[in-house]
Amino acid sequence: MTTAPPTRRYDYETDGSQIYVDSFATIRAESDLSRVPADAEKVAVRMIHACGQTDLTRDLVIHPGLVSAARTALEAGAPILTDANMVASGVTRARLPRENDVMCLLRDPRVPDLARAWSTTRSAAAVSLWADRMEGAVVAFGNAPTALFHLLEMLRDGAPRPAAIIGTPVGFIGAAESKQALIDLAADEPGLDVPYLVVTGRRGGSAMAASALNALAQERE
């Protein structure tokens, strides 16, 4: 085991706290945060921090009631339901206000049979298993457009309504369309105005979804 650091050959910041402070200062200097609701500014900053893309606010669409709805739900002990284990793994448990459950059911043994029977993806089939926990939950999609589409179809069929939906599935097939369908849900189905956060277009991913959840779980940056 080595007991000494390597020879210092590069000029770089090594103070973790200073890196953190400087990173968020850079984000605020380079991003147009006027595009997001005032109470969602820290959510946007944390998402930019996760992806390194200061132009992310150009594609962020945040419902005006998203932050208050999600925080109220989490403070009441609501679970977080996700489409991907990477999203669940990215949630910082210490930030959760009530030791909230964070669940991804992709590995549930019922999922493969459901996916085959319904001719859909396992990610979509897993969402059906959320039904008994979905009322008032905070749900997040960081990977699978089919899972987000499936949730919207469940809601249209009268499934329990979550408190908030984070929609950041990534990809080239169905990602942009699924997120637009979430934005359009209230207009298409009066009475289904569920607060949401969406990264429009093709970009997204588990890191973005997890960073949004972490910011919503606790206002501290």
Side-chain angles (χ1 to χ4, degrees), residues 81 105 114 118 120-135 139 141 145-162 165 181 185 189 192 194:
L81 308 174
L105 299 182
L114 283 175
W118 296 344
T120 191
T121 66
R122 294 188 181 193
S123 296
V127 171
S128 287
L129 303 180
W130 294 356
D132 63 345
R133 300 294 305 274
M134 203 157 68
E135 183 71 41
V139 303
F141 299 88
T146 56
L148 178 52
F149 274 129
H150 195 89
L151 174 73
L152 299 180
E153 290 168 340
M154 289 173 63
L155 292 175
R156 285 170 174 263
D157 282 350
R161 290 176 56 179
I165 302 172
L185 180 64
E189 294 284 340
L192 280 182
V194 181

Side-chain angles (χ1 to χ4, degrees), residues 31 63 65 69 75 104 111 122 135 168 212:
S31 303
H63 186 287
E75 287 167 2
C104 174
V111 166
R122 294 188 181 193
E135 183 71 41
T168 65

Side-chain angles (χ1 to χ4, degrees), residues 6-214:
T7 303
R8 186 73 174 267
R9 292 180 169 87
Y10 305 100
D11 181 18
Y12 58 97
E13 180 63 67
T14 58
D15 184 318
S17 297
Q18 192 60 49
I19 291 170
Y20 192 85
V21 169
D22 291 348
S23 293
F24 281 85
T26 300
I27 290 166
R28 291 181 181 281
E30 296 183 8
S31 303
D32 182 4
L33 296 171
S34 67
R35 290 174 172 266
V36 301
D39 66 351
E41 180 181 302
K42 289 183 179 179
V43 178
V45 168
R46 187 162 283 276
M47 292 179 72
I48 293 167
H49 186 251
C51 68
Q53 299 167 352
T54 56
D55 67 340
L56 182 67
T57 55
R58 183 185 66 197
D59 295 335
L60 271 177
V61 181
I62 303 177
H63 186 287
L66 180 279
V67 173
S68 60
R71 286 202 176 132
T72 297
L74 293 174
E75 287 167 2
I80 294 172
L81 308 174
T82 81
D83 69 325
N85 287 298
M86 286 182 67
V87 178
S89 296
V91 174
T92 303
R93 298 323 194 255
R95 294 182 68 91
L96 297 174
R98 295 291 181 270
E99 298 183 353
N100 310 67
D101 289 337
V102 183
M103 302 168 56
C104 174
L105 299 182
L106 194 56
R107 294 173 181 157
D108 187 287
R110 296 169 288 179
V111 166
D113 288 341
L114 283 175
R116 281 191 293 269
W118 296 344
S119 297
T120 191
T121 66
R122 294 188 181 193
S123 296
V127 171
S128 287
L129 303 180
W130 294 356
D132 63 345
R133 300 294 305 274
M134 203 157 68
E135 183 71 41
V138 175
V139 303
F141 299 88
N143 182 56
T146 56
L148 178 52
F149 274 129
H150 195 89
L151 174 73
L152 299 180
E153 290 168 340
M154 289 173 63
L155 292 175
R156 285 170 174 263
D157 282 350
R161 290 176 56 179
I165 302 172
I166 308 302
T168 65
V170 63
F172 296 91
I173 308 300
E177 293 83 356
S178 68
K179 291 178 279 191
Q180 189 59 50
L182 173 55
I183 293 171
D184 294 340
L185 180 64
D188 294 343
E189 294 284 340
L192 280 182
D193 187 21
V194 181
Y196 59 82
L197 179 154
V198 163
V199 177
T200 60
R202 293 171 169 176
R203 64 176 163 177
S206 296
M208 286 192 191
S211 62
L213 289 170
N214 286 332

